[in-house]
Amino acid sequence: MAASTPNSPAKSPPESETPGNFPFVGWLRDVAPYIHSFREKTFVIAFAGELVQEIGLERIIEDIAMLHAMGMRIVLVHGIRPQIEEQLTLRQIKSQFGQGHMNGYRITDAAALECVKEAAGELRLDIEAAFSRGLPNTPMAGSRISVISGNFITAMPFGVVDGVDFVHTGLVRKVDSVSIKLSLDSNKIVLLSPLGFSPTGQAFNLSFEDVAVSTAAALKADKIVFLTPYSGLHDEAGDLITELSLAQMQEYISSHPEIPSGMKALLTLSGKAIKAGVSRVHFLPCNRDGALLEELFTHDGVGMMLASSGIENLREANQDDVGGILQLTMPLEEEGILAARGQDVIERDIDRFSVIEHDRVLFGCAALFPFPNGIGELACLVVDPDVQGSGDGERLLKRIEARAKKEGIKKLFVLTTRTEHWFLKRGFMRSSVDDLPEERKQIYNWDRKSMVLTKNLT
């Protein structure tokens, strides 16, 4: 495994620095795999009304505009709960909510519905205005973004629950996915408010989470991203949980009755989205500027991600992985840390590689080459420098050892110039060139003077 220095924080480079030394060059190269992976993918991005109060619209709209410019298909859903409260306060109307298991569900009578319409209309206009900005020296300079909204959501009444009539509070009944897809195909951002309409022309107050999940399910979206006031879930040690499978989430809900009702409802809805075919659901803090970009374009992100099964995938490589493996190995080959292989050699030997990917981006690789007499070579063990220390190297080593045992290999050797101690900590022993198989000894590069380490697998 090869180590390298992570990118340093941003700074203004001295005039003497060449463009190749600018930190942003490294950053741009780091995010390139994500950009390739996300292009033409459909994202439903839903933010709570609290976001507008916490950090304002300007930054989130700029970030979404960048995603759109990168070729992502965006459906934007906004919440309006604090904005409704403002309207109710202005009109001196008291908020009404259900009780017991319906706690948190607003009772929307005729007067409250007018406040909902006022809040939704005002925020929708503010969002459309923000997308229309194109001031020089801002991220929106030169942007030409068309936003479309309309009656895409058919709603039905929540009805009477435990003797309480929720009047104009509703649920999503149907999403006009055909019209939304046509708009996305026309390179438009689709904007949805938490309002729906019945076939009889009645308006209903909906939860923005319900709108987001129902829309994503109808579109078979690749991701839903929620920006909400909820603090997320924590493990037994008190650390924030960053990744959950659907099964793990269901187990967590059943064993943690203290979860706030709003977060529990959001998790339950998100589980339905995963079951309906949505690949990923992300939960981010709405009070953190830049959280959307950090989550999508960094390995660890800043929130929690829910998927149907394990998000990290350790598997055998295929021809589609050649480019990703080259991206990992070439910088180390140029530094002389790894022996040069090149694309033709990797393509030829691709079935000998194992890779580790996270959300469809490669972050590590390793290869196993068999020799006579039950001996195998562990080669090309590389982990992306940005995620070193996360255990990916250890997992790749165990994968190679398991493959070796399955192929009847009883002894592994590795050649390294920089990472001797990493391998020694994992059971390898110092050896010499004389201990190599004859075929490998003949092609040993004496100029590199690689150290030879071996490990018995029995």
Side-chain angles (χ1 to χ4, degrees):
M1 186 175 70
S4 58
T5 304
N7 293 330
S8 58
K11 62 179 180 179
S12 299
E15 293 182 3
S16 59
E17 286 191 2
T18 63
N21 291 329
F22 286 8
F24 86 88
V25 174
W27 298 340
L28 192 57
R29 288 169 178 164
D30 287 341
V31 304
Y34 296 102
I35 297 173
H36 298 320
S37 178
F38 295 157
R39 184 177 295 277
E40 297 300 322
K41 297 297 191 295
T42 300
F43 292 176
V44 175
I45 300 173
F47 66 85
E50 286 83 354
L51 178 144
V52 182
Q53 298 177 325
E54 294 281 353
I55 62 174
L57 278 175
E58 181 178 330
R59 293 301 188 189
I60 187 66
I61 296 302
E62 289 175 351
D63 293 348
I64 292 170
M66 280 194 283
L67 299 184
H68 181 260
M70 293 176 194
M72 298 163 213
R73 296 154 59 91
I74 306 295
V75 177
L76 184 60
V77 183
H78 69 85
I80 51 172
R81 286 176 188 134
Q83 288 78 13
I84 293 173
E85 289 299 324
E86 290 177 0
Q87 292 296 325
L88 289 169
T89 301
L90 286 173
R91 303 185 189 198
Q92 297 182 336
I93 300 173
K94 185 178 180 180
S95 295
Q96 301 179 69
F97 295 93
Q99 300 298 318
H101 69 283
M102 300 306 297
N103 183 34
Y105 288 87
R106 184 183 299 278
I107 300 170
T108 311
D109 58 17
L113 180 61
E114 293 305 310
C115 295
V116 171
K117 291 178 180 178
E118 185 74 23
E122 183 176 338
L123 186 51
R124 193 196 78 185
L125 289 174
D126 288 343
I127 293 171
E128 290 175 350
F131 275 118
S132 301
R133 291 185 304 114
L135 296 175
N137 301 319
T138 73
M140 299 294 287
S143 63
R144 295 291 184 271
I145 299 174
S146 179
V147 180
I148 187 167
S149 57
N151 57 341
F152 296 116
I153 306 297
T154 300
M156 59 184 180
F158 203 93
V160 178
V161 182
D162 295 335
V164 176
D165 187 355
F166 283 78
V167 201
H168 295 287
T169 298
L171 299 168
V172 176
R173 180 178 182 180
K174 184 180 179 182
V175 176
D176 186 358
S177 58
V178 174
S179 296
I180 292 176
K181 287 179 181 177
L182 287 173
S183 300
L184 295 175
D185 291 342
S186 300
N187 200 35
K188 300 180 187 300
I189 289 179
V190 175
L191 175 61
L192 301 179
S193 298
L195 281 170
F197 309 94
S198 71
T200 60
Q202 288 182 296
F204 288 94
N205 175 26
L206 312 175
S207 76
F208 81 95
E209 298 96 335
D210 186 15
V211 173
V213 165
S214 299
T215 302
L219 296 174
K220 294 293 186 288
D222 298 277
K223 288 181 184 291
I224 309 176
V225 182
F226 284 109
L227 294 109
T228 73
Y230 305 118
S231 60
L233 305 180
H234 295 80
D235 60 22
E236 300 307 319
D239 296 324
L240 183 69
I241 296 173
T242 58
E243 299 174 357
L244 276 178
S245 68
L246 183 57
Q248 289 171 329
M249 183 202 74
Q250 292 169 337
E251 182 181 350
Y252 190 98
I253 291 176
S254 63
S255 61
H256 291 77
E258 73 280 5
I259 301 174
S261 58
M263 184 63 182
K264 186 175 181 179
L266 176 58
L267 291 171
T268 302
L269 275 172
S270 300
K272 293 180 180 178
I274 294 293
K275 291 177 181 177
V278 178
S279 299
R280 303 281 189 268
V281 182
H282 300 252
F283 307 90
L284 310 181
C286 68
N287 60 353
R288 178 168 177 145
D289 184 22
L292 179 62
L293 300 183
E294 287 185 85
E295 179 72 7
L296 293 178
F297 297 112
T298 62
H299 177 268
D300 294 326
V302 294
M304 183 176 75
M305 181 161 60
L306 173 68
S308 58
S309 57
I311 296 157
E312 187 172 77
N313 187 17
L314 179 57
R315 58 174 175 80
E316 313 316 333
N318 56 58
Q319 289 295 331
D320 292 338
D321 298 316
V322 171
I325 293 173
L326 283 169
Q327 195 168 33
L328 290 169
T329 59
M330 286 185 67
L332 301 180
E333 291 178 7
E334 292 170 358
E335 291 183 43
I337 297 173
L338 285 180
R341 279 182 171 79
Q343 182 170 342
D344 291 343
V345 174
I346 291 177
E347 287 179 349
R348 182 196 67 195
D349 298 330
I350 192 65
D351 62 326
R352 305 308 310 172
F353 279 81
S354 296
V355 296
I356 192 165
E357 65 177 355
H358 189 283
D359 205 17
R360 293 183 290 230
V361 177
L362 291 191
F363 281 94
C365 66
L368 172 67
F369 295 98
F371 287 87
N373 303 319
I375 300 176
E377 179 181 8
L378 166 62
C380 209
L381 176 53
V382 181
V383 173
D384 188 296
D386 287 339
V387 299
Q388 285 180 5
S390 64
D392 285 351
E394 188 94 35
R395 287 187 281 273
L396 282 164
L397 174 59
K398 290 180 179 178
R399 181 70 166 213
I400 292 298
E401 290 179 354
R403 286 186 68 176
K405 290 177 182 179
K406 189 175 181 180
E407 295 181 23
I409 294 172
K410 295 180 172 54
K411 186 176 184 179
L412 277 181
F413 70 87
V414 62
L415 305 182
T416 180
T417 58
R418 301 278 187 93
T419 54
E420 176 191 21
H421 290 283
W422 189 90
F423 287 106
L424 290 174
K425 287 181 180 179
R426 285 151 183 86
F428 283 80
M429 305 290 292
R430 291 186 181 91
S431 298
S432 69
V433 177
D434 292 334
D435 296 316
L436 295 175
E438 192 60 36
E439 296 89 337
R440 188 66 178 85
K441 194 184 305 182
Q442 291 175 2
I443 58 173
Y444 178 81
N445 188 336
W446 289 97
D447 292 331
R448 285 174 54 81
K449 297 181 180 178
S450 300
M451 291 170 279
V452 180
L453 304 171
T454 60
K455 180 178 182 179
N456 292 321
L457 300 180
T458 54

